[in-house]
Amino acid sequence: MNNFQSVEALFKPFEMGNLKLSNRIIMAPMTRNFSPNGAPGEDVAAYYRRRAENGVGLIITEGTFINHRDVVSNQENVPHLYGEDALNGWSKVVEGVHEAGGKIFSQIWHMGVRGNVNDYSKQEISELVAAFEQAAANAKKVGFDGIEIMAAHGFLIDQFFWEKTNTRTDEYGGDLVKRTRFASEVIQACRRAVGPEFPIGLRISQWKYDFYTAKLVETPEQLKRFLTPLVDAGVDIFHASIRRFWEPAFGGSELNLSGWIKKWTGKPTITIGSVGLEGADFVDFFATGEHSNGKATSINALIERLERGEFDLIAVGRALLADPNWVNKIRDGRTEELLPFTREALDTLY
C-alpha cells in the first residue's frame, strides 16, 4: 500500500518553540474509562508508554477533568487532573512516556451543562476559569510537555461558543467574537499558570457530540473572526476535530478545517478524522457495529495534504487503539500487518 518514500513526510521532525517531536503523528485524545475514582493506575501508564515505545511522536491524553463539579460528568472512571492520587498517577504516566522517548500533553476538560450556559453566574464563571488555571499548573507540575484545552464537541467551552447554547446578554454572550470571551479568559489563565514557553493547544470543532451537522461558522471569513481573539489569548497550536479529514470545511476550496485555521492564523495545526481507516467514521461505526468499518486503508491522500502544508500534524485515534504498533508498521511499509479496529479495542486497555 505505501512504501518508505511515500510516508517520508510523516516522519520529518517537528519543532514548535521548545517542543521537539520526532515525527508528525499524534495519538488523539480518547476517553477510556480505566481510571477508578479519577486516578490513572499502572495499566494506564503502560497503555500510554506502549504507544510511545512504538513510535508515536506526541500523545494527547484522554480528557482529564478540572476540579469543578458539573451535572453531566458523573463518570467515576474518567481521570482527574487534581487530587494527590490522580496527580501521582499522571506523574507515572509521564515518566513512562518520557523514558520511552515520547512526548505527552494533557487534555483538560469540563463536560459542561445540559441545555445552555445561560444559568452560570459571573462568580461561577470565575471559579471555572480558576479551575482550568489550576489544571494547567498541575499539568506542568507533574511533567507534561504541554496541554490541550478541550473546546469542541458541545462540551463546556464549546457551549459558550455556539449561538444555540449561548444566548447570554452579558459580556459572555452576543455575537461570534463576544462568545469567545470565556475561552479567551481560560486560555489567558492557563498561560499565566504555565508561563510563556509551555505549549497550549486548543481543540475545536464545528460538530457537536449529538448534532453532527452543526456549524459554529458558515464562512471562512467568520472563521477568521472567531479565531483572532483565541490567538491573541495565547493559543500555540490548534487541533481541528473533524469526522473525515478529506472533507472541505467550506465550499469553493479543498481545505479542511485545519487547513483554513493554518491559513488564517499561521499557527501549526493538527488534523484528524478517520485516519488510516476504511470509509466510515466513528459515529457510523457505532451505528452499524460492523468491524469492516475499521479496516486499515491507504493514507496516501492524507500524506499529499501534509506535503502541501495544509496542516502540520496528524492525529490518529481508533487505528492506534487497535494497533499500538501502527506507526512503526506505517513507517516500515508493513501495512498488510495493520490490525483492524473493532469494538474489542474499546473495551480493552492494551
Side-chain angles (χ1 to χ4, degrees), residues 10-167:
L10 284 173
F11 293 92
K12 291 181 178 179
F14 172 81
E15 293 189 15
M16 183 185 72
N18 293 331
L19 181 69
K20 295 177 173 59
L21 307 180
S22 61
N23 61 53
R24 304 302 179 102
I25 300 171
I26 291 176
M27 181 177 181
M30 294 171 285
T31 298
R32 302 311 316 278
N33 288 295
F34 282 94
S35 297
N37 299 312
E42 292 182 2
D43 55 345
V44 174
Y47 160 79
Y48 284 118
R49 178 174 182 143
R50 193 169 297 117
R51 272 70 187 175
E53 288 172 337
N54 284 285
V56 173
L58 172 66
I59 293 167
I60 303 177
T61 72
E62 59 204 289
T64 58
F65 288 150
I66 64 173
N67 190 11
H68 186 280
R69 182 72 174 169
D70 62 62
V71 298
V72 181
S73 61
N74 295 319
Q75 301 181 51
E76 63 181 16
N77 294 323
V78 172
H80 301 163
L81 198 55
Y82 62 90
E84 183 177 357
D85 289 345
L87 296 182
N88 286 341
W90 283 122
S91 293
K92 293 175 182 176
V93 170
V94 170
E95 180 181 1
V97 168
H98 287 168
E99 286 178 350
K103 304 287 186 179
I104 184 167
F105 280 20
S106 174
Q107 188 190 77
I108 56 178
W109 186 25
H110 186 292
M111 291 189 71
V113 296
R114 294 187 179 94
N116 58 57
V117 296
N118 301 334
D119 294 333
Y120 277 119
S121 67
K122 291 183 181 179
Q123 174 62 33
E124 191 164 16
I125 288 174
S126 296
E127 292 170 357
L128 283 161
V129 171
F132 274 101
E133 184 174 6
Q134 178 198 49
N138 287 343
K140 186 175 183 181
K141 177 181 177 181
V142 302
F144 281 104
D145 299 292
I147 59 169
E148 178 175 274
I149 300 167
M150 178 54 153
H153 303 169
F155 298 122
L156 179 66
I157 296 175
D158 196 28
Q159 290 175 343
F160 276 88
F161 285 155
W162 197 29
E163 62 184 353
K164 295 188 182 301
T165 48
N166 182 355
T167 57

Side-chain angles (χ1 to χ4, degrees), residues 180-223:
T180 67
R181 176 168 180 146
F182 175 66
S184 296
E185 290 186 0
V186 168
I187 296 161
Q188 290 165 350
C190 290
R191 178 60 70 199
R192 288 194 300 270
V194 300
E197 304 300 326
F198 194 77
I200 294 179
L202 189 73
R203 193 178 204 205
I204 61 174
S205 69
Q206 294 266 43
W207 64 279
K208 317 304 171 195
Y209 186 76
D210 55 355
F211 189 4
Y212 304 111
T213 60
K215 290 189 179 295
L216 280 178
V217 296
E218 298 288 343
T219 67
E221 292 71 28
Q222 288 179 356
L223 178 65

Side-chain angles (χ1 to χ4, degrees), residues 331-345:
R331 183 196 61 207
D332 298 338
R334 295 184 287 128
T335 53
E336 72 283 354
E337 299 177 20
L338 292 171
L339 302 177
F341 172 76
T342 67
R343 286 184 182 273
E344 183 182 6

